[in-house]
Amino acid sequence: MKEGGRHPDRMEHWFLGLRRIERRRFVDDERRVLNERLRDLRRELRLVLVVLVVTLVALSVLGVVAEDQQDLGFLVELCLVLVMLTLPLGLLRLRDSLREIRSLRLDLERGYVERFGGLLDPGRFLTGLAKRAHERLRSEEGFDADGEHSVEVLPTSGRVLSADGRPLSAETVASVGRAAAPPADPFVQPLPDGFRVVLKDPSLRVARRRLEEEEVHELEHWVHRYKQPGWTGIGAALLLCLLVVLARDGALDWSRFELPILAAIAIFGMVEYGRRWLDGSRLAEDHAQGWVLTIHDPAGEDEGMARLPLSRPRLEVLPMSRGVWTEGGRPAPWRLRDED
């Protein structure tokens, strides 16, 4: 079965660099607490909907006032800009609330918790929710950041229920990602003729290895996702086309300062999609190559690397996009993040 370009049956589950060990069923107290949280989220969703409706009504009223009260033009336009900036934030909050409700409802329907174990990800490349969850776990009393850990997580919503057998003192959420695990004992080869890599540290060794079948399927998935326009790209393109058509017909008054703001938003969205498309093109070149650079540390003295066998690479890097593929035998964080 194929899903979104990935082969889920071949993907390992990961949480902050910890690999999934097992799963268990809910206990009654956990189900009760999660049902209460789901009710709170639904109340918050209703509040967001009310705020959005009020914002849309205010936008309509201000539009009428702007036409009738020319002497209040600047004040009305300022209010219009504030409302137009508030509306996207409200829509984003609505999207996040719907996602959270859906994911928590799916967790309740599935009725199981996943346990992840191993060394906690160093966190050097983590961003967003993963970075905050990492910092939250490290700050927990009695949590040894350098030791082996066991963390229980709801697989869809990413809520941490316990760490090392103890409930957390505050809510911690991050994404459970799926990625192909690197081979336990990678077979490395010399670099191809004519391919040169210059590193700042001359003591490091560079080689290469072929990607496993599961890794090739995963890389194909990322090429597809990066080249597909998301809602941001589609919305920016539609907004830019609308502004261009109206400008050609002379229907826009560029003295109204909200119009340049809208144009800037549309252009920024298109540039962002262009950047993602270029990233996807580079990943497509990596997919065609089918191998990764492996960087080895003979001394084994780098932070977090002393426990690894020398035969394992410190880093693996995609040769064309130069993106980190694995670090310390674990998938790079970008491979585990949620995609819109």
Side-chain angles (χ1 to χ4, degrees):
M1 176 180 176
K2 197 170 183 178
E3 181 181 53
R6 290 204 195 199
H7 291 242
D9 53 322
R10 297 176 176 178
M11 295 294 112
E12 295 285 348
H13 288 225
W14 304 81
F15 183 81
L16 301 182
L18 306 178
R19 197 168 182 172
R20 185 178 69 180
I21 301 173
E22 62 180 6
R23 62 174 55 168
R24 66 169 177 81
R25 305 298 298 179
F26 281 141
V27 298
D28 292 340
D29 285 345
E30 289 172 336
R31 185 175 291 277
R32 176 182 53 79
V33 170
L34 292 175
N35 276 311
E36 290 176 356
R37 175 58 180 163
L38 186 58
R39 285 193 292 270
D40 291 341
L41 288 172
R42 285 170 174 162
R43 283 195 291 266
E44 180 181 331
L45 177 62
R46 288 193 288 269
L47 178 60
V48 171
L49 287 172
V50 169
V51 171
L52 283 175
V53 170
V54 171
T55 301
L56 289 172
V57 171
L59 186 61
S60 301
V61 171
L62 287 171
V64 173
V65 172
E67 294 293 332
D68 295 339
Q69 302 293 331
Q70 298 298 327
D71 54 335
L72 299 177
F74 177 77
L75 180 61
V76 171
E77 287 193 1
L78 179 61
C79 292
L80 278 171
V81 171
L82 293 176
V83 171
M84 291 168 64
L85 293 177
T86 303
L87 187 59
L89 295 177
L91 291 173
L92 288 174
R93 183 58 226 167
L94 177 63
R95 182 199 64 178
D96 292 343
S97 296
L98 289 171
R99 282 182 175 177
E100 196 170 359
I101 289 172
R102 177 179 175 275
S103 63
L104 193 54
R105 190 177 69 247
L106 285 174
D107 282 327
L108 284 165
E109 290 174 358
R110 291 169 178 171
Y112 61 82
V113 180
E114 291 186 336
R115 186 160 69 90
F116 296 80
L119 290 171
L120 195 65
D121 190 273
R124 289 191 291 271
F125 302 112
L126 297 179
T127 58
L129 280 177
K131 185 176 183 64
R132 290 194 290 272
H134 180 271
E135 293 171 351
R136 182 70 199 85
L137 286 175
R138 290 175 64 93
S139 66
E140 192 74 13
E141 184 177 355
F143 194 85
D144 179 13
D146 299 323
E148 295 272 346
H149 297 288
S150 173
V151 179
E152 290 190 324
V153 183
L154 297 180
T156 308
S157 61
R159 292 177 177 275
V160 181
L161 297 185
S162 68
D164 296 335
R166 300 189 303 272
L168 299 185
S169 58
E171 182 179 276
T172 302
V173 179
S175 297
V176 174
R178 291 182 298 176
D185 189 15
F187 175 70
V188 298
Q189 299 173 290
L191 296 179
D193 294 338
F195 197 97
R196 296 289 181 268
V197 177
V198 179
L199 300 176
K200 292 182 179 179
D201 187 348
S203 68
L204 296 177
R205 297 201 305 266
V206 182
R208 64 166 174 160
R209 74 165 176 88
R210 300 298 301 178
L211 292 172
E212 300 286 313
E213 181 183 1
E214 293 82 358
E215 295 176 297
V216 172
H217 286 309
E218 183 189 343
L219 192 51
E220 182 182 0
H221 156 81
W222 284 109
V223 171
H224 174 77
R225 294 300 294 268
Y226 269 79
K227 287 196 171 186
Q228 287 294 313
W231 289 112
T232 301
I234 294 173
L238 292 175
L239 178 58
L240 189 60
C241 290
L242 177 63
L243 291 175
V244 170
V245 170
L246 293 176
R248 290 183 61 184
D249 293 341
L252 294 183
D253 180 8
W254 290 101
S255 64
R256 298 169 62 94
F257 65 87
E258 68 268 19
L259 292 179
I261 293 175
L262 290 176
I265 292 173
I267 293 171
F268 175 80
M270 292 299 297
V271 170
E272 179 65 15
Y273 170 63
R275 183 190 64 81
R276 284 177 56 86
W277 192 90
L278 288 175
D279 289 342
S281 298
R282 296 188 185 100
L283 289 176
E285 295 179 18
D286 289 320
H287 181 266
Q289 293 288 335
W291 54 272
V292 289
L293 293 167
T294 63
I295 301 175
H296 303 260
D297 181 9
E301 297 174 351
D302 283 2
E303 179 184 358
M305 299 300 297
R307 300 182 184 181
L308 294 180
L310 188 58
S311 61
R312 301 268 312 262
R314 169 187 175 183
L315 287 175
E316 293 185 327
V317 180
L318 295 168
M320 301 303 165
S321 64
R322 302 302 173 94
V324 175
W325 185 248
T326 68
E327 181 190 16
R330 292 175 290 191
W334 70 268
R335 297 168 56 192
L336 305 174
R337 70 174 184 264
D338 280 343
E339 285 287 303
D340 293 338

